[in-house]
Structure formats: C-alpha cells, structure tokens
Amino acid sequence: MGVSVGFSSTHLPILPTPRERGFSFKTTLTDPSGRLSSWTGLTSLKYLNLGFVKLDSAGTDWLQALNKLSALVELRLHWCKLQVPLSLPFINFTSLSVLDLSENSFNSEIPEWPNNLVFLDLSSNSLEGELPESLGNLKNLKFLVLSGNFFWGSIPSSIGSLSSLKTLDLSYNRMNGTIPESFSQLSELVHADLMENSWTGILSEAHMMKLGRLEYVTITTEPTGYLVFNVSYKWVPPFRLKFFHFDNCLVGPFFPVWLQVQSELASVSLRNAGISDTIPGDWFSKLSSQITYLILSNNQIQGKLPHHLEFPNLRALDLGSNHFEGPFPVWSTNASEIFLQDNLFSGSLPENIGSLMTRLQKLYLSWNRLDGKVPSSMCELEGLQVLSLRSNKLYGQLPNCWHKSRMLWGIDMSNNTLTGSIPSSFGSLASLSVLMLNINNLDGEIPSSLQNCTGLTSIDLGGNRFSGNLPLWIEKFSSFFMLRLQSNLFSGNIPPSLCNLRNLHILDLSHNMFSGDIPRCIGNLSGLVFGNNTEVFERLIYVVMKGRDPEHVFFQLFDDIKEMIGA
C-alpha cells in the first residue's frame, strides 16, 4: 500500500481535487534545516502535498531530493517559494500524474516534464519564452494551467496531440501569436481560457469543427489587437456554450448567427467586436433564464430592447456605447450593475425602478436622450453605489428622500435641465465622495447638511444659479481633490480657510460675484502646482463618469466650461 503525506485536515490520501483541498494547515510551517533532502528514503510515497510550506531554504536542491521519490503519483507544491534549478536533472517521476507547482518563483523557460502527467499547473510564476512543441508529448494530459506567466508567441501546433485535454488555461500571459488549426483536434476540451493576451491571426471554422464538448471559452486580446473570427454567416457550431467571452476580437460587422443558436448561455461578452448590425428583436427573449452576465458594449449595434423581460439570475448588463434606442427596458432583474450609457434611449425612467431592480448597485445611463424626472423610488435602492445620468434631458426637482442610500458614493447628473435646490437629504449619504451637478438650472445655497458627508473628495456645481457665500465648513474636507463652482452667482469674500484644502488639485471659482482680495495663501496649495498623487481621485471621477476613456473624462470637464460660457 502506498504512503501519503499531506498537511491538511484529513489523513486520507490527497487525490486529484480542486486546489482548495489541503489549505487548512499552518502556513508558518517551514524547512529551515533543509530536511526535505532526508525524505529520499520514502520510496513508496505516492501522495505529497506541501502547499503553503515555505521551502525557499531548500534553494535549488528541492527537485533533486524529490526526484528520488520515484513512486510519487501526486505532487502538490503550491506557494512554497521554490526556486527553479539552473539545470534540471533527469526527471525520475515515472508514475507522476498530478503536478502542481503554482505560485512559486520560477523565472525560466518551461521545463519538460514526464509524459504520463494528467494534471499540470504552473500558473502564477514568472515562466517565460515560447511554449515548446514538446508540450504535444504530454498525450495523457487532461488539465493544463499556465496562466499568470510571461509566455509569448503562438500556441504550438503540437497542441492538437493532447486529445484528452479538458481544460486549457493560458490567460494573463503575453501570447502575441496565433492559434493553430490543430486546436480543433482537442475534441474533449470543455474549458478554454485564453484571455488577457495579444492574439493575432484568424480563427476559422477549421479551428472549431471538432470542439463538440466545448462549454467555456474566453479569448480576449488588446483593444488594437488583430484577431479575426472568420466564419460563414450561417455557420452552426458543433458546441453548446455556457460561458462565452470574446473581447477586442473582430467578430462583426454582422451580429453572429452562430451566437443566436446558443440556447444555454449563462455568460456572454462581445465587447468591442466590430459589430454594426441590427440585433434580432427576439434574441434577448430567447436567452436562457440562467443568464448572469450580458455584455455587448463598445460596438455599433442598433435596435430596440424588449420592453418587458425577466432575468432573475442576471448580475450585470452592459450594452454601453452602441446605438440602441427606444424606452428604458422595464426588466425585472436582480442585476447589481446596469450599463446603458452612450446610446439613444429615450422617454422617462420607470417610476417603480426601485422595486423592479431592488439589488441595483451601479446604474449608468449617461449620454442618452432620457427625459422626465428622476424617480423618487431611486431612494429605495439601499445598495445603490453609483448613479450616473449625465447628458440627458432630465428636468424638474431632484427627489428629497435619500435617507436610505447609505452606500451611494458617486452621483453624476450633469448637463440636464434640473431645477430647484440640492436636496438636503444628500447630507444623509454617509459614503458620498463624488457629486457632479454641473450644467443644470439649479439654484439656492449649498445645503449645510453636505458637511455630514465627510468622505467628499470632488464637487462640481458649475454652470447653475447657486448663490450665497462659500460655506466655511468646506475647510473640514482636507481630502478635497476637486472643487468646481464656476459660472454661478456666489458672492462675498473667498475665505482664507480654503487654503486648508491641502489635497486640492482642481479649483475653479470663475464667473461668479465674489468680492475682496484673493487670499495670498492660495499659492500654498501645492496640489494645484505639482499635481502629484492624483490617481486615486481621478479614478473615482472616472468610475462615476464611466462610458468614455479615462483621458476623455478630464477633457469633458473642460468641454463643460466651454458649453457654459458659449465658447
């Protein structure tokens, strides 16, 4: 009977399982005396799991020591801080079928391992170079995980020899070559993760003709990548996908027919896929009720959305930056994130949006043609974090009922025709960080209740009719990054306490009715001069104004100024 050693909560042999198995032992376990080498007498040892045991003191001798354990069937050395030997000795693991060396300190080219391996995980190291043709010798391999390294080049054509492969993970590398036609020979493949690389070339029907078991595929490349998905218009694939992400790859210009026949999809992403077609009117209603993520953003897709649909499992909907039109979809959903910005949606928002989408956390509707009032049921969304309604045709007063929105940290309602004053209940938004209400017809004074929003970092109220003095409580907000109050009716002196805002990087008080001298201490606001350490605050503003590139956001701020002064 074989011997097993595993530092886990069970005394049973550690069989091929998800990597979470065996993580419960103490991570302080180390091998300071290099006693790993004394294990060489355990010639009957079959299962060895030293995951999270620090073996860096073993230097580069660990493999030579373990190489004498010729009976090993499974070896798991996950996150052991191992170093790769300068030259690999003859590998004696003739029985080894499972090898996990993930999250160590390897920085060499990929070594050659025994041909009897069934499971190989070398993820999250610093391995580099091109994938060798010798990978094709691992003909018994069912799981190959090489993610999180620095591999480049193409997938070797020998990949087609891995006829038993079920999982292939090359994500988060620097692969900048092609995917060979021999990829089609992976007839047992279920899971293919090729995301976050720089793929080039063409994917044709020949690449996929035998992938009948494929359920999960993700291929993403750089936004300027040149991977083309070239299949005939009416091609019917051999697979039934559940998870499909194909971002920054040229799939268009037509909305793919092959995607329309996929009836079991749970997650879809076709971001920036060059589609400029009209979407079939019934496609959304044909989607599986199990759909959780639906992403078609950054295309030029036209058409209308079904007015009523129920997607109880939907978590995120992103149709931003397209040409969708018609009314806001009245969908009953548990989605937490909805991105419909930069489209042609019109009409008013449903008054009962708070009860339709009770789990909503982020709502992006900027750059559309929506009109009407902001529904008061928005206040019922207790988990709402970001509300972005910029550049629509919304009018009327803002509802004054925001006492439940404790999580709301970003509000952008700029460039509408809103009237009235800032709701005093905004002062109940304990998490509020970014408030942008510029280019409206708002008036009155800045409510004193805003001083309760101690996390405020950026305010833009420019291009309204606000009046009164600058509130003295502003000096409390030492983390202020942006204060834009230009083109209003503010009056009185500019208080010297403004100089206490040491983190201030953007200050605009122009086109108001201020009197008196400009405080000399303004020159001490080093953030206005040097502009250091701005990334965090810029990111907050970008997230609230999502729908345009980060660089575009600050150009948009200056465009707002031009619009206010009629330049």
Side-chain angles (χ1 to χ4, degrees), residues 368-394:
N368 277 286
R369 299 174 179 177
L370 298 168
D371 55 27
K373 297 182 178 181
V374 177
S376 58
S377 67
M378 284 280 190
C379 301
E380 302 298 319
L381 297 170
E382 296 184 16
L384 191 64
Q385 298 176 16
V386 177
L387 178 60
S388 184
L389 303 175
R390 165 183 288 265
S391 296
N392 281 284
K393 300 178 181 179
L394 300 172

Side-chain angles (χ1 to χ4, degrees), residues 412-534:
D412 185 2
M413 299 186 190
S414 303
N415 199 16
N416 284 282
T417 54
L418 299 171
T419 56
S421 57
I422 297 176
S424 59
S425 58
F426 273 7
S428 301
L429 302 178
S431 301
L432 190 62
S433 176
V434 179
L435 177 61
M436 306 182 75
L437 299 174
N438 52 298
I439 315 180
N440 279 286
N441 294 320
L442 297 168
D443 54 27
E445 297 187 358
I446 298 176
S448 60
S449 61
L450 279 184
Q451 64 184 303
N452 298 325
C453 304
T454 55
L456 267 174
T457 63
S458 297
I459 289 183
D460 191 345
L461 304 180
N464 284 284
R465 292 184 292 172
F466 291 113
S467 58
N469 297 329
L470 284 184
L472 296 178
W473 48 260
I474 285 182
E475 68 177 10
K476 300 178 182 178
F477 293 87
S478 58
S479 60
F480 248 36
F481 169 76
M482 180 178 75
L483 179 61
R484 300 179 75 231
L485 304 177
Q486 73 284 354
S487 300
N488 278 285
L489 302 174
F490 290 110
S491 58
N493 295 325
I494 298 176
S497 58
L498 200 65
C499 302
N500 295 330
L501 305 180
R502 297 296 183 183
N503 189 55
L504 199 62
H505 284 70
I506 300 174
L507 174 64
D508 192 345
L509 304 178
S510 62
H511 299 281
N512 278 285
M513 302 175 67
F514 293 117
S515 57
D517 296 329
I518 298 176
R520 292 181 177 272
C521 60
I522 289 289
N524 297 330
L525 294 175
S526 58
L528 296 176
V529 179
F530 300 109
N532 296 324
N533 303 316
T534 65

